[in-house]
Amino acid sequence: MKKQVRRTGDHGIGQLTHVVHMSDDAQELRRFYEDVLGACVYFGVDEPHYLSYEDRYATLLMIGDLCVETMAPRMPADTRLPVGRFYTKYGRHLHSVGYQVDDLAGLADRLLERGIHIAKPGGGMIEHLAPETPYFFPSPRDTAGLMVEFCGTDMPGDPRDQETWSVLERMRRPHPLTIERFSHVTLGVRDLSAAVRTYIDVMQAVPVGTGMDADLAAKYVMLQLGDGLLQLAEPVDADSDLGRHVDTWGNMIYGLRFKVTDLDSAEGWFDKKSVRTARIRRELLVTDVEDTFGAPLFFGTEEVEGHPLS
């Protein structure tokens, strides 16, 4: 059976198609995800795919029910193009998230009417979405720092769209990481209230929780956007890791969190693979970004209240 996708908003924002992780070598990053996180590559299987108008290499892979796109600019990075500019500024870092949208043109009109600038593939601003445009990026300046891709079609070959998905889900669970599913993306922000207004009023995200996240030392609001959760988190401690991230980069995607069954097993696996982790508390650990290509990856046993797949 295919994955059952829940949608939000008037224009049908649906599947969280992928999270993009930027590095200087897409193949090296792909090997890390395969070897350490048990990922299965389904696009760019033999070698990374090259896209000329973005001048970048990429692969698509699954970690549990999350699709990650490993991406790298062709070196030396061309700073005239968005991918090259991003890598030159941020280096190894989480880059963006993507969503499939039923009514892409309608969503584009909604954003434009509300003063959100949107860019076309390869760069350049859009005043009106052409029917043939496959996807677009709202300006991160207008989305509280999140780089997000809205796409009119699903990812080609996405295993979640196949009738065999329910079988593949069962096959992946014996991995030592014991991942049950992807939990959420965390976006660090300077002004939580302003960020929340953007997502609820403009993108029609659905609030599912709010409070203090002691692990991040941040106040947060959890939102459902499409079939994924987005945690908007404003640090209350400038010396916390999230606080330093926001101080350095401003509003920007920070980390990813997965729900696991056995945290001791996950911790032992990371140790075997020489990936350093910190056990924040009994139910949660986080990887050392030096070992995970600039991205803090969180693994916990607790359920996020309001998760659309719970």
Side-chain angles (χ1 to χ4, degrees):
M1 184 174 66
K2 299 178 181 180
K3 180 185 174 184
Q4 302 303 298
V5 176
R6 300 189 183 187
R7 291 169 168 78
T8 57
D10 295 336
H11 306 289
I13 298 176
Q15 182 148 271
L16 175 63
T17 53
H18 63 307
V19 172
V20 178
H21 192 167
M22 180 75 74
S23 187
D24 54 339
D25 187 329
Q27 187 76 329
E28 179 189 24
L29 183 55
R30 167 251 184 95
R31 286 194 292 265
F32 160 77
Y33 274 109
E34 285 185 294
D35 182 48
V36 177
L37 297 186
C40 177
V41 178
Y42 73 88
F43 180 77
V45 174
D46 297 320
E47 60 183 17
H49 175 261
Y50 177 70
L51 190 62
S52 59
Y53 63 81
E54 291 187 347
D55 200 24
R56 60 89 172 133
Y57 294 95
T59 63
L60 294 172
L61 49 84
M62 297 299 304
I63 308 165
D65 59 347
L66 174 69
C67 175
V68 173
E69 180 174 354
T70 68
M71 182 184 290
R74 183 174 62 89
M75 294 298 185
D78 186 346
T79 58
R80 296 171 300 177
L81 298 174
V83 172
R85 282 198 302 272
F86 183 96
Y87 175 77
T88 301
K89 182 175 182 178
Y90 300 106
R92 294 177 167 185
H93 202 287
L94 293 172
H95 174 272
S96 61
V97 297
Y99 291 89
Q100 187 275 334
V101 181
D102 291 341
D103 179 13
L104 190 66
L107 179 61
D109 287 343
R110 177 185 180 85
L111 298 181
L112 290 168
E113 288 169 1
R114 286 159 176 78
I116 305 297
H117 298 84
I118 61 177
K120 60 186 176 182
M125 304 312 293
I126 293 174
E127 294 184 2
H128 180 73
L129 192 74
E132 67 274 11
T133 304
Y135 59 88
F136 66 81
F137 287 89
S139 170
R141 295 178 182 176
D142 299 329
T143 59
L146 183 66
M147 191 175 297
V148 56
E149 174 188 353
F150 290 119
C151 186
T153 59
D154 295 316
M155 285 291 188
D158 191 325
R160 295 168 295 185
D161 297 330
Q162 311 302 316
E163 292 295 341
T164 53
W165 171 244
S166 55
V167 176
L168 293 174
E169 266 201 308
R170 292 194 295 270
M171 290 176 63
R172 64 173 167 78
R173 291 184 177 175
H175 190 277
L177 284 181
T178 69
I179 292 175
E180 287 186 39
R181 63 168 169 262
F182 181 60
S183 178
H184 58 271
V185 175
T186 297
L187 175 69
V189 297
R190 298 188 190 276
D191 185 336
L192 182 60
S193 297
V196 169
R197 284 195 300 271
T198 295
Y199 281 89
I200 293 179
D201 296 346
V202 177
M203 296 190 187
Q204 300 179 299
V206 179
V208 296
T210 185
M212 287 294 300
D213 188 324
D215 304 315
L216 296 179
K219 56 183 180 179
Y220 78 92
V221 172
M222 192 76 74
L223 302 171
Q224 180 185 347
L225 186 64
D227 75 341
L229 289 186
L230 176 64
Q231 181 188 37
L232 305 181
E234 179 187 336
V236 296
D237 181 358
D239 291 328
S240 67
D241 189 64
L242 177 64
R244 291 188 293 271
H245 185 272
V246 171
D247 182 64
T248 301
W249 306 118
N251 291 4
M252 190 179 183
I253 187 172
Y254 169 68
L256 308 176
R257 181 160 168 171
F258 296 84
K259 185 178 186 298
V260 301
T261 303
D262 187 337
L263 204 57
D264 291 333
S265 175
E267 187 175 37
W269 176 254
F270 281 126
D271 185 60
K272 180 179 179 180
K273 292 296 182 178
S274 300
V275 173
R276 291 166 290 180
T277 61
R279 194 76 172 252
I280 299 174
R281 51 188 169 81
R282 187 171 63 88
E283 299 89 357
L284 185 68
L285 66 80
V286 62
T287 62
D288 189 315
V289 295
E290 294 296 324
D291 297 334
T292 50
F293 293 78
L297 305 177
F298 293 82
F299 298 82
T301 56
E302 299 161 316
E303 189 68 78
V304 173
E305 185 177 354
H307 196 290
L309 298 181
S310 63

